[in-house]
Amino acid sequence: MSTESSHPPLLFTIISPNICAPMSPSCCWFLVFVAVWWLPLMLVVAEDQQRRDCSAKKCGNVSISDPFWLATKELERPCGSLDFEVTCNGTISSLRSSIPFNNGFKILNISYEEHSLYAIDLGKLDVLHANNSCRPPFPFYNTSSKLNHLFRIDPVNLNLILYNCTEEAAAGALARQDRGLVHTRMRCENKWEVLVRVGVPHDPSGHYASYALEGCAAIVVPVPGSSAGANASDYEGLIRDGFLLTWERPRKFTRKSSCSQVRR
Ligand SMILES: *[C@@H]1O[C@H](CO)[C@@H](O)[C@H](O)[C@H]1NC(C)=O
Ligand SMILES: *[C@@H]1O[C@H](CO)[C@@H](O)[C@H](O)[C@H]1NC(C)=O
Ligand SMILES: *[C@@H]1O[C@H](CO)[C@@H](O)[C@H](O)[C@H]1NC(C)=O
Ligand SMILES: *[C@@H]1O[C@H](CO)[C@@H](O)[C@H](O)[C@H]1NC(C)=O
Ligand SMILES: *[C@@H]1O[C@H](CO)[C@@H](O)[C@H](O)[C@H]1NC(C)=O
Ligand SMILES: *[C@@H]1O[C@H](CO)[C@@H](O)[C@H](O)[C@H]1NC(C)=O
Ligand SMILES: *[C@@H]1O[C@H](CO)[C@@H](O)[C@H](O)[C@H]1NC(C)=O
Protein backbone atom coordinates (compact mmCIF):
# COMPACT_ATOMS: atom_id res chain seq x y z
CA MET A 1 0.00 0.00 0.00
CA SER A 2 2.83 2.39 0.77
CA THR A 3 4.05 2.62 -2.82
CA GLU A 4 0.59 3.30 -4.18
CA SER A 5 -0.26 5.93 -1.62
CA SER A 6 3.01 7.77 -2.18
CA HIS A 7 2.02 8.80 -5.74
CA PRO A 8 -1.75 9.04 -5.74
CA PRO A 9 -3.37 11.45 -8.13
CA LEU A 10 -4.31 14.68 -6.41
CA LEU A 11 -8.00 13.96 -6.64
CA PHE A 12 -7.59 10.59 -5.01
CA THR A 13 -5.66 12.08 -2.08
CA ILE A 14 -8.46 14.53 -1.47
CA ILE A 15 -11.35 12.11 -1.50
CA SER A 16 -9.72 8.94 -0.21
CA PRO A 17 -9.42 9.61 3.56
CA ASN A 18 -13.18 9.87 4.11
CA ILE A 19 -14.48 7.42 1.61
CA CYS A 20 -11.90 4.69 1.57
CA ALA A 21 -10.58 4.28 5.07
CA PRO A 22 -13.26 1.90 6.30
CA MET A 23 -13.49 0.04 3.00
CA SER A 24 -11.64 -2.82 1.42
CA PRO A 25 -8.47 -2.43 -0.72
CA SER A 26 -10.49 -3.25 -3.83
CA CYS A 27 -12.53 -0.13 -3.27
CA CYS A 28 -9.31 1.92 -3.21
CA TRP A 29 -8.12 0.36 -6.43
CA PHE A 30 -11.41 1.24 -7.99
CA LEU A 31 -11.07 4.86 -6.85
CA VAL A 32 -7.50 5.03 -8.14
CA PHE A 33 -8.76 3.74 -11.44
CA VAL A 34 -11.61 6.26 -11.55
CA ALA A 35 -9.31 9.13 -10.53
CA VAL A 36 -6.66 8.26 -13.11
CA TRP A 37 -9.30 7.86 -15.75
CA TRP A 38 -11.05 11.18 -15.03
CA LEU A 39 -8.12 13.37 -14.06
CA PRO A 40 -6.91 14.27 -17.57
CA LEU A 41 -10.44 15.11 -18.63
CA MET A 42 -11.03 17.25 -15.54
CA LEU A 43 -7.77 19.09 -16.11
CA VAL A 44 -8.74 19.83 -19.70
CA VAL A 45 -12.12 21.17 -18.57
CA ALA A 46 -10.47 23.20 -15.79
CA GLU A 47 -7.94 24.62 -18.23
CA ASP A 48 -10.72 25.48 -20.61
CA GLN A 49 -12.52 27.38 -17.85
CA GLN A 50 -9.37 29.19 -16.74
CA ARG A 51 -8.66 30.01 -20.32
CA ARG A 52 -11.52 32.38 -20.84
CA ASP A 53 -15.07 33.31 -20.12
CA CYS A 54 -16.22 33.84 -23.68
CA SER A 55 -19.90 34.44 -23.02
CA ALA A 56 -21.71 37.52 -24.33
CA LYS A 57 -20.71 40.78 -22.59
CA LYS A 58 -21.84 44.37 -22.49
CA CYS A 59 -19.68 47.43 -22.92
CA GLY A 60 -21.75 50.56 -22.39
CA ASN A 61 -24.87 49.89 -24.42
CA VAL A 62 -23.21 47.57 -26.89
CA SER A 63 -23.63 43.79 -26.55
CA ILE A 64 -20.48 41.97 -27.51
CA SER A 65 -20.98 38.38 -28.60
CA ASP A 66 -19.71 35.92 -31.15
CA PRO A 67 -17.96 36.61 -33.54
CA PHE A 68 -17.00 39.71 -31.51
CA TRP A 69 -15.28 39.24 -28.15
CA LEU A 70 -13.88 41.47 -25.44
CA ALA A 71 -10.17 41.77 -24.90
CA THR A 72 -8.96 41.62 -21.29
CA LYS A 73 -5.73 42.78 -19.78
CA GLU A 74 -4.49 39.33 -18.83
CA LEU A 75 -2.64 37.31 -21.38
CA GLU A 76 -5.51 34.97 -21.92
CA ARG A 77 -6.24 32.97 -24.99
CA PRO A 78 -8.39 34.86 -27.48
CA CYS A 79 -12.08 33.99 -27.73
CA GLY A 80 -12.14 34.40 -31.47
CA SER A 81 -10.56 35.92 -34.52
CA LEU A 82 -8.32 38.89 -33.74
CA ASP A 83 -10.20 40.81 -36.42
CA PHE A 84 -13.22 40.81 -34.08
CA GLU A 85 -11.44 41.73 -30.87
CA VAL A 86 -13.23 44.58 -29.08
CA THR A 87 -11.60 46.70 -26.39
CA CYS A 88 -13.82 48.28 -23.78
CA ASN A 89 -12.74 51.48 -22.08
CA GLY A 90 -15.40 52.66 -19.64
CA THR A 91 -18.50 52.61 -21.82
CA ILE A 92 -16.67 52.92 -25.14
CA SER A 93 -16.13 49.81 -27.20
CA SER A 94 -13.75 49.92 -30.09
CA LEU A 95 -12.39 47.80 -32.89
CA ARG A 96 -8.76 48.04 -33.82
CA SER A 97 -7.43 49.59 -37.01
CA SER A 98 -5.66 47.17 -39.32
CA ILE A 99 -2.88 49.78 -39.52
CA PRO A 100 -0.52 49.53 -36.51
CA PHE A 101 -0.34 52.49 -34.08
CA ASN A 102 -3.46 53.97 -35.64
CA ASN A 103 -6.70 54.70 -33.83
CA GLY A 104 -9.46 52.26 -34.62
CA PHE A 105 -13.24 52.53 -34.64
CA LYS A 106 -15.69 53.31 -31.89
CA ILE A 107 -18.65 50.92 -32.08
CA LEU A 108 -22.03 52.63 -31.75
CA ASN A 109 -24.18 49.53 -32.07
CA ILE A 110 -24.12 46.05 -33.60
CA SER A 111 -26.89 44.18 -35.38
CA TYR A 112 -26.17 40.45 -35.11
CA GLU A 113 -29.11 39.57 -37.35
CA GLU A 114 -27.96 41.79 -40.17
CA HIS A 115 -24.25 41.25 -39.67
CA SER A 116 -23.77 45.00 -39.51
CA LEU A 117 -22.59 47.69 -37.16
CA TYR A 118 -22.38 51.46 -36.92
CA ALA A 119 -18.94 52.83 -36.11
CA ILE A 120 -16.95 56.06 -35.96
CA ASP A 121 -13.48 56.35 -37.48
CA LEU A 122 -11.70 57.70 -34.40
CA GLY A 123 -8.47 58.55 -36.19
CA LYS A 124 -10.30 61.17 -38.25
CA LEU A 125 -11.55 63.00 -35.19
CA ASP A 126 -8.05 63.10 -33.74
CA VAL A 127 -6.64 64.47 -36.95
CA LEU A 128 -9.31 67.13 -37.18
CA HIS A 129 -8.81 68.20 -33.58
CA ALA A 130 -5.17 68.90 -34.17
CA ASN A 131 -5.75 72.36 -35.64
CA ASN A 132 -2.92 74.78 -36.39
CA SER A 133 -0.50 71.95 -36.26
CA CYS A 134 2.54 72.12 -38.54
CA ARG A 135 3.97 68.88 -37.31
CA PRO A 136 5.08 66.40 -40.00
CA PRO A 137 2.54 64.14 -41.75
CA PHE A 138 -0.38 62.97 -39.73
CA PRO A 139 -1.58 59.49 -40.39
CA PHE A 140 -4.06 60.53 -42.97
CA TYR A 141 -5.61 57.23 -44.06
CA ASN A 142 -8.65 56.33 -46.06
CA THR A 143 -11.18 54.70 -43.74
CA SER A 144 -11.35 51.69 -46.08
CA SER A 145 -7.63 51.00 -45.66
CA LYS A 146 -8.03 50.75 -41.86
CA LEU A 147 -10.53 47.89 -42.11
CA ASN A 148 -9.54 44.26 -42.30
CA HIS A 149 -10.86 42.06 -45.09
CA LEU A 150 -13.88 40.77 -43.14
CA PHE A 151 -15.44 44.23 -42.82
CA ARG A 152 -17.01 46.16 -45.67
CA ILE A 153 -18.22 49.73 -45.87
CA ASP A 154 -21.87 49.56 -46.85
CA PRO A 155 -22.74 51.32 -50.14
CA VAL A 156 -25.71 53.07 -48.47
CA ASN A 157 -23.28 55.44 -46.78
CA LEU A 158 -22.38 58.73 -48.36
CA ASN A 159 -18.81 59.99 -48.15
CA LEU A 160 -16.92 62.98 -47.00
CA ILE A 161 -13.60 63.75 -48.68
CA LEU A 162 -10.79 65.48 -46.83
CA TYR A 163 -8.22 67.20 -49.02
CA ASN A 164 -4.77 68.15 -47.79
CA CYS A 165 -3.84 70.85 -50.25
CA THR A 166 -1.00 73.20 -50.84
CA GLU A 167 -2.00 76.80 -50.25
CA GLU A 168 -2.27 77.60 -53.99
CA ALA A 169 -4.25 74.46 -54.78
CA ALA A 170 -6.67 75.24 -51.96
CA ALA A 171 -7.11 78.84 -53.07
CA GLY A 172 -7.71 77.68 -56.64
CA ALA A 173 -10.27 75.07 -55.69
CA LEU A 174 -12.17 77.42 -53.38
CA ALA A 175 -12.15 80.19 -56.00
CA ARG A 176 -13.81 77.79 -58.43
CA GLN A 177 -16.50 77.20 -55.77
CA ASP A 178 -15.75 73.57 -56.40
CA ARG A 179 -18.79 71.48 -55.43
CA GLY A 180 -19.33 72.63 -51.87
CA LEU A 181 -15.72 72.64 -50.66
CA VAL A 182 -15.20 74.09 -47.21
CA HIS A 183 -12.15 74.83 -45.04
CA THR A 184 -11.48 72.76 -41.95
CA ARG A 185 -9.61 74.17 -38.98
CA MET A 186 -6.51 72.27 -40.01
CA ARG A 187 -3.80 74.25 -41.65
CA CYS A 188 -0.12 74.95 -41.34
CA GLU A 189 0.70 78.62 -41.86
CA ASN A 190 0.84 79.04 -45.60
CA LYS A 191 2.18 75.57 -46.35
CA TRP A 192 -0.96 73.45 -46.48
CA GLU A 193 -4.57 73.39 -45.45
CA VAL A 194 -7.31 70.77 -45.23
CA LEU A 195 -10.55 71.20 -47.16
CA VAL A 196 -13.62 69.02 -46.99
CA ARG A 197 -16.61 68.17 -49.13
CA VAL A 198 -19.63 66.03 -48.28
CA GLY A 199 -22.41 64.19 -50.08
CA VAL A 200 -20.10 62.07 -52.24
CA PRO A 201 -21.87 58.85 -53.26
CA HIS A 202 -20.25 55.44 -52.92
CA ASP A 203 -17.95 54.63 -55.85
CA PRO A 204 -17.86 50.86 -56.43
CA SER A 205 -14.46 51.19 -58.14
CA GLY A 206 -13.14 52.82 -54.96
CA HIS A 207 -11.21 55.41 -56.99
CA TYR A 208 -13.38 58.50 -56.53
CA ALA A 209 -11.43 59.78 -59.53
CA SER A 210 -13.91 62.52 -60.43
CA TYR A 211 -13.35 64.07 -57.00
CA ALA A 212 -9.57 64.34 -57.27
CA LEU A 213 -8.13 67.84 -56.87
CA GLU A 214 -4.75 68.71 -58.29
CA GLY A 215 -2.22 69.67 -55.63
CA CYS A 216 -4.25 67.94 -52.89
CA ALA A 217 -3.92 64.53 -51.24
CA ALA A 218 -7.40 63.11 -50.63
CA ILE A 219 -8.93 60.65 -48.21
CA VAL A 220 -12.44 59.25 -48.26
CA VAL A 221 -14.43 58.93 -45.02
CA PRO A 222 -17.90 57.31 -44.98
CA VAL A 223 -20.71 59.20 -43.25
CA PRO A 224 -24.40 58.30 -42.85
CA GLY A 225 -26.51 57.93 -45.95
CA SER A 226 -28.94 60.34 -44.30
CA SER A 227 -26.38 63.14 -44.62
CA ALA A 228 -27.44 64.04 -48.17
CA GLY A 229 -27.70 67.80 -48.36
CA ALA A 230 -25.70 68.31 -45.15
CA ASN A 231 -23.51 71.38 -44.76
CA ALA A 232 -19.82 70.50 -45.19
CA SER A 233 -19.01 72.85 -42.29
CA ASP A 234 -20.56 70.23 -40.06
CA TYR A 235 -17.92 67.65 -41.02
CA GLU A 236 -17.12 66.78 -37.43
CA GLY A 237 -20.73 66.09 -36.55
CA LEU A 238 -21.09 63.93 -39.64
CA ILE A 239 -18.03 61.86 -38.74
CA ARG A 240 -19.38 61.48 -35.20
CA ASP A 241 -22.69 60.15 -36.51
CA GLY A 242 -20.86 57.03 -37.64
CA PHE A 243 -21.31 54.92 -40.75
CA LEU A 244 -22.66 51.48 -41.59
CA LEU A 245 -20.36 48.50 -41.92
CA THR A 246 -21.13 44.87 -42.63
CA TRP A 247 -19.04 41.91 -41.63
CA GLU A 248 -18.44 38.35 -42.71
CA ARG A 249 -17.86 35.58 -40.21
CA PRO A 250 -14.27 34.45 -39.91
CA ARG A 251 -13.99 30.99 -41.48
CA LYS A 252 -11.14 29.27 -39.72
CA PHE A 253 -11.90 29.91 -36.10
CA THR A 254 -13.06 26.69 -34.43
CA ARG A 255 -13.04 27.37 -30.70
CA LYS A 256 -16.72 26.54 -30.29
CA SER A 257 -16.46 23.10 -31.80
CA SER A 258 -13.34 22.18 -29.83
CA CYS A 259 -15.05 23.33 -26.61
CA SER A 260 -18.15 21.30 -27.11
CA GLN A 261 -16.03 18.26 -27.90
CA VAL A 262 -14.24 18.61 -24.58
CA ARG A 263 -17.45 18.97 -22.64
CA ARG A 264 -19.24 16.16 -24.33
C1 LIG B 1 -27.23 53.96 -23.54
O1 LIG B 1 -28.58 54.04 -23.94
C2 LIG B 1 -29.34 54.96 -23.18
C3 LIG B 1 -30.79 54.84 -23.60
O2 LIG B 1 -30.90 54.72 -24.98
C4 LIG B 1 -28.78 56.37 -23.39
O3 LIG B 1 -29.50 57.29 -22.64
C5 LIG B 1 -27.32 56.39 -22.97
O4 LIG B 1 -26.75 57.64 -23.25
C6 LIG B 1 -26.54 55.32 -23.69
N1 LIG B 1 -25.20 55.23 -23.14
C7 LIG B 1 -24.11 55.18 -23.89
C8 LIG B 1 -22.83 55.11 -23.17
O5 LIG B 1 -24.17 55.21 -25.11
C1 LIG C 1 -9.71 55.18 -21.65
O1 LIG C 1 -10.42 56.41 -21.67
C2 LIG C 1 -9.83 57.41 -20.89
C3 LIG C 1 -10.77 58.61 -20.85
O2 LIG C 1 -11.43 58.80 -22.06
C4 LIG C 1 -8.45 57.76 -21.48
O3 LIG C 1 -7.84 58.76 -20.74
C5 LIG C 1 -7.60 56.50 -21.48
O4 LIG C 1 -6.36 56.76 -22.11
C6 LIG C 1 -8.30 55.38 -22.20
N1 LIG C 1 -7.55 54.15 -22.03
C7 LIG C 1 -7.16 53.40 -23.05
C8 LIG C 1 -6.40 52.16 -22.69
O5 LIG C 1 -7.40 53.70 -24.20
C1 LIG D 1 -27.26 52.46 -34.49
O1 LIG D 1 -26.58 53.69 -34.58
C2 LIG D 1 -26.94 54.45 -35.71
C3 LIG D 1 -26.04 55.66 -35.76
O2 LIG D 1 -26.05 56.37 -34.54
C4 LIG D 1 -28.41 54.81 -35.66
O3 LIG D 1 -28.77 55.53 -36.80
C5 LIG D 1 -29.22 53.53 -35.58
O4 LIG D 1 -30.57 53.83 -35.43
C6 LIG D 1 -28.75 52.68 -34.41
N1 LIG D 1 -29.43 51.40 -34.47
C7 LIG D 1 -29.92 50.84 -33.40
C8 LIG D 1 -30.59 49.53 -33.61
O5 LIG D 1 -29.84 51.38 -32.30
C1 LIG E 1 -8.60 73.99 -32.13
O1 LIG E 1 -9.28 75.22 -32.33
C2 LIG E 1 -10.51 75.32 -31.64
C3 LIG E 1 -11.21 76.62 -32.05
O2 LIG E 1 -10.34 77.46 -32.73
C4 LIG E 1 -10.21 75.26 -30.14
O3 LIG E 1 -11.42 75.33 -29.41
C5 LIG E 1 -9.52 73.94 -29.84
O4 LIG E 1 -9.16 73.87 -28.47
C6 LIG E 1 -8.27 73.77 -30.68
N1 LIG E 1 -7.74 72.42 -30.49
C7 LIG E 1 -6.44 72.16 -30.28
C8 LIG E 1 -6.08 70.75 -30.08
O5 LIG E 1 -5.60 73.04 -30.29
C1 LIG F 1 -0.38 67.78 -45.72
O1 LIG F 1 0.68 67.71 -46.66
C2 LIG F 1 1.89 68.29 -46.20
C3 LIG F 1 2.87 68.27 -47.34
O2 LIG F 1 2.98 67.00 -47.89
C4 LIG F 1 2.35 67.53 -44.98
O3 LIG F 1 3.54 68.11 -44.49
C5 LIG F 1 1.28 67.62 -43.92
O4 LIG F 1 1.64 66.91 -42.77
C6 LIG F 1 -0.01 67.05 -44.45
N1 LIG F 1 -1.08 67.25 -43.49
C7 LIG F 1 -1.86 66.27 -43.11
C8 LIG F 1 -2.94 66.62 -42.16
O5 LIG F 1 -1.70 65.13 -43.52
C1 LIG G 1 -7.53 57.28 -50.55
O1 LIG G 1 -8.39 56.77 -51.53
C2 LIG G 1 -8.43 57.52 -52.74
C3 LIG G 1 -9.50 56.91 -53.60
O2 LIG G 1 -9.27 55.56 -53.78
C4 LIG G 1 -7.04 57.50 -53.37
O3 LIG G 1 -7.07 58.27 -54.56
C5 LIG G 1 -6.04 58.09 -52.38
O4 LIG G 1 -4.74 58.00 -52.90
C6 LIG G 1 -6.10 57.36 -51.06
N1 LIG G 1 -5.29 58.10 -50.11
C7 LIG G 1 -4.42 57.53 -49.31
C8 LIG G 1 -3.67 58.42 -48.38
O5 LIG G 1 -4.23 56.32 -49.31
C1 LIG H 1 -22.96 76.02 -43.63
O1 LIG H 1 -22.68 76.29 -42.28
C2 LIG H 1 -21.86 77.44 -42.10
C3 LIG H 1 -21.46 77.54 -40.63
O2 LIG H 1 -22.45 77.04 -39.81
C4 LIG H 1 -22.64 78.67 -42.58
O3 LIG H 1 -21.84 79.84 -42.44
C5 LIG H 1 -22.99 78.47 -44.07
O4 LIG H 1 -23.79 79.54 -44.53
C6 LIG H 1 -23.74 77.18 -44.28
N1 LIG H 1 -23.86 76.94 -45.70
C7 LIG H 1 -25.02 76.62 -46.25
C8 LIG H 1 -25.01 76.39 -47.72
O5 LIG H 1 -26.04 76.53 -45.60
Side-chain angles (χ1 to χ4, degrees):
M1 277 303 276
S2 65
T3 48
E4 288 124 30
S5 55
S6 63
H7 303 287
L10 182 63
L11 183 72
F12 181 65
T13 330
I14 296 165
I15 62 172
S16 62
N18 310 333
I19 300 175
C20 249
M23 295 186 195
S24 67
S26 63
C27 154
C28 293
W29 277 112
F30 175 72
L31 278 179
V32 169
F33 174 77
V34 167
V36 168
W37 181 254
W38 281 101
L39 193 63
L41 186 57
M42 294 179 83
L43 287 178
V44 170
V45 171
E47 187 207 283
D48 189 51
Q49 280 164 351
Q50 268 168 15
R51 190 193 288 168
R52 214 46 219 275
D53 166 15
C54 289
S55 58
K57 301 269 167 16
K58 275 219 145 191
C59 176
N61 285 345
V62 182
S63 305
I64 310 295
S65 65
D66 183 63
F68 296 88
W69 56 281
L70 267 190
T72 54
K73 277 177 193 141
E74 307 96 74
L75 290 171
E76 285 180 305
R77 291 175 64 151
C79 287
S81 156
L82 290 179
D83 294 333
F84 288 86
E85 180 180 7
V86 173
T87 47
C88 184
N89 183 3
T91 56
I92 297 174
S93 46
S94 46
L95 269 180
R96 73 170 84 230
S97 166
S98 56
I99 297 168
F101 307 112
N102 178 248
N103 273 318
F105 299 90
K106 174 179 168 179
I107 301 173
L108 294 175
N109 56 44
I110 301 178
S111 163
Y112 289 92
E113 301 80 47
E114 284 165 18
H115 283 204
S116 67
L117 71 149
Y118 277 90
I120 301 174
D121 185 343
L122 290 172
K124 299 302 172 288
L125 291 173
D126 289 355
V127 168
L128 293 169
H129 282 150
N131 37 325
N132 302 318
S133 168
C134 291
R135 269 170 290 149
F138 284 97
F140 211 51
Y141 299 112
N142 280 307
T143 300
S144 58
S145 62
K146 296 174 53 174
L147 290 166
N148 69 63
H149 67 290
L150 294 170
F151 290 86
R152 200 177 64 104
I153 295 172
D154 196 279
V156 303
N157 297 297
L158 286 172
N159 294 283
L160 169 158
I161 301 186
L162 290 167
Y163 296 96
N164 180 17
C165 304
T166 61
E167 186 85 349
E168 298 111 315
L174 290 168
R176 275 179 269 126
Q177 291 284 313
D178 200 331
R179 284 177 284 187
L181 274 178
V182 165
H183 272 290
T184 65
R185 289 200 300 269
M186 284 189 83
R187 58 169 60 244
C188 174
E189 289 152 14
N190 55 359
K191 296 192 198 107
W192 53 262
E193 56 190 277
V194 176
L195 307 181
V196 61
R197 81 158 88 250
V198 298
V200 175
H202 180 76
D203 176 354
S205 77
H207 294 140
Y208 295 89
S210 58
Y211 295 92
L213 286 181
E214 209 174 312
C216 308
I219 57 159
V220 180
V221 183
V223 291
S226 57
S227 70
N231 187 332
S233 305
D234 189 27
Y235 59 89
E236 255 192 78
L238 293 178
I239 294 174
R240 271 184 210 288
D241 284 343
F243 63 99
L244 183 63
L245 286 160
T246 54
W247 82 80
E248 254 176 70
R249 276 190 166 276
R251 284 205 200 92
K252 279 183 231 127
F253 199 72
T254 54
R255 182 184 173 276
K256 281 210 138 171
S257 54
S258 66
C259 262
S260 50
Q261 272 158 23
V262 165
R263 295 218 164 96
R264 223 171 266 146

